[in-house]
Amino acid sequence: MECKSGSDSSKVAYTITVSKNGGANFTTITAAVNSIPTTNDQWIKISVSPGTYQEQVQVYNKQCIVLEGQDRSTTTITYGAHASTQESITFDVFADNFVARGITFENSYNRPLTPYVKQAPAVALRAFGDKHAYYSCGFLGYQDTLWDQQGRHYFSFCYIEGTVDFIFGSGQSVYKRCHMKVTGSGYITAQGRSSAQDQSGYVFIKCRVLGTGLVALGRAYGPFSRVIFMNSYFENVIAPQGWSIWGQTGHENDVTYAEVNCAGPGADTSKRVPWVKKLSGTELRQYEREVFIDQEGWIAKLP
């Protein structure tokens, strides 16, 4: 569905305000989301005042929403559920056409990291839907921080923190100029591409990996898992082997893992697993944003 634009240059039909301290349309983000009808086809902005909002939010089948905070350092949505992957989600977007700006999504379970605390799924945000864009947002968690599950997604100037599989799922996504902070030993990505025809994959362009601990760039969550880092900088937190086939032994030639023009102390590829791909210039072209997720130019049309 194509979202309709308002009459002004911002393309937003109207704005709903949220403030914990009153003086706005609502005091919770959940109430603001619930006020939008499921039949909505216009861009609606939810403007969130600075503060920490402790709630689990579900955006189910409600399209054309722009969620905007002042900035990610002052505006946070947080919750600490961790019983299961599905039940742990702090902010769940199960809809197409969603934009977030200047806001942090957190699952507070085991943050700050405490040794010997039970390892459990703790999802800060799930992106399940087509045409999502996240600008200058934060995603904080321990395990399974960002469930990039399905659809075309664009992350720009975002900060993503975690330890184990902290970007996972089967999304078709581009991460540009994002920072990934490692807070322990584990894996950055667990991408779940299921077949050679599956369009999904994660592409990181001009990103930075920093932090403490030692991680692999990814492990195969599906037999055709696909993750590419291009023109990125790795601090000394990348395990020498770089990648893990995990439970997909026998599919080493089917996965697409590549590091292209990366730099930094963690970018030494001399001890990488032998099945890392060497991509030609023609092959790399398909992973540029305009080709991989934005063939229709939908990103430029966002409010």
Side-chain angles (χ1 to χ4, degrees):
M1 183 188 76
E2 189 84 12
C3 296
K4 297 175 183 177
S5 301
S7 57
D8 63 4
S9 60
S10 70
K11 301 182 182 179
V12 172
Y14 63 91
T15 297
I16 301 167
T17 56
V18 179
S19 174
K20 288 181 61 178
N21 302 317
N25 298 125
F26 298 99
T27 57
T28 69
I29 296 161
T30 296
V33 170
N34 289 346
S35 74
I36 298 172
T38 55
T39 56
N40 176 57
D41 62 357
Q42 303 179 89
W43 283 112
I44 297 172
K45 180 186 288 187
I46 299 175
S47 180
V48 184
S49 294
T52 299
Y53 297 81
Q54 188 166 351
E55 52 183 305
Q56 281 183 295
V57 182
Q58 297 177 337
V59 182
Y60 281 6
N61 300 317
K62 296 189 176 189
Q63 302 190 49
C64 310
I65 292 176
V66 179
L67 181 74
E68 188 169 278
Q70 184 181 72
D71 63 66
R72 68 176 179 84
S73 65
T74 62
T75 313
T76 299
I77 305 168
T78 184
Y79 208 77
H82 56 276
S84 69
T85 306
Q86 181 70 47
E87 294 172 324
S88 74
I89 304 167
T90 297
F91 198 96
D92 194 2
V93 188
F94 198 90
D96 296 339
N97 300 300
F98 179 81
V99 179
R101 290 192 181 90
I103 198 160
T104 286
F105 306 91
E106 179 190 44
N107 190 305
S108 60
Y109 177 69
N110 202 16
R111 291 195 76 252
L113 183 64
T114 303
Y116 312 115
V117 170
K118 175 187 174 184
Q119 185 170 307
V123 179
L125 180 137
R126 176 171 72 157
F128 189 112
D130 197 31
K131 299 181 182 178
H132 288 198
Y134 300 85
Y135 298 95
S136 300
C137 289
F139 304 89
L140 309 181
Y142 163 60
Q143 177 181 336
D144 300 346
T145 303
L146 176 54
W147 191 354
D148 186 351
Q149 188 176 7
Q150 184 172 306
R152 291 173 293 173
H153 307 145
Y154 181 52
F155 298 83
S156 176
F157 287 95
C158 290
Y159 175 88
I160 308 158
E161 183 179 299
T163 300
V164 181
D165 299 345
F166 61 96
I167 303 172
F168 78 106
S170 301
Q172 182 180 347
S173 303
V174 169
Y175 295 76
K176 190 166 184 179
R177 297 189 183 276
C178 294
H179 282 196
M180 279 75 72
K181 184 177 181 181
V182 176
T183 57
S185 296
Y187 306 86
I188 296 175
T189 67
Q191 203 281 331
R193 186 168 174 248
S194 60
S195 71
Q197 292 71 45
D198 186 338
Q199 298 298 307
S200 72
Y202 299 155
V203 179
F204 297 87
I205 302 171
K206 296 182 178 179
C207 291
R208 187 180 186 99
V209 180
L210 63 156
T212 58
L214 205 61
V215 295
L217 293 166
R219 62 172 167 178
Y221 205 58
F224 289 80
S225 182
R226 179 162 60 176
V227 180
I228 295 99
F229 281 85
M230 294 193 288
N231 303 311
S232 294
Y233 185 91
F234 303 149
E235 292 189 359
N236 196 24
V237 294
I238 309 301
Q241 69 273 17
W243 306 88
S244 171
I245 200 65
W246 195 41
Q248 303 296 336
T249 300
H251 287 279
E252 287 84 354
N253 292 328
D254 297 324
V255 299
T256 301
Y257 291 153
E259 301 165 58
V260 182
N261 298 327
C262 294
D268 180 0
T269 59
S270 62
K271 296 181 180 178
R272 293 292 195 255
V273 292
W275 34 269
V276 168
K277 293 289 192 294
K278 303 293 184 183
L279 301 176
S280 68
T282 301
E283 289 172 319
L284 285 172
R285 169 66 180 155
Q286 69 176 303
Y287 299 116
E288 294 177 1
R289 189 193 82 175
E290 294 77 11
V291 178
F292 191 57
I293 63 169
D294 194 26
Q295 303 92 332
E296 307 152 58
W298 62 270
I299 292 174
K301 298 175 184 176
L302 296 174

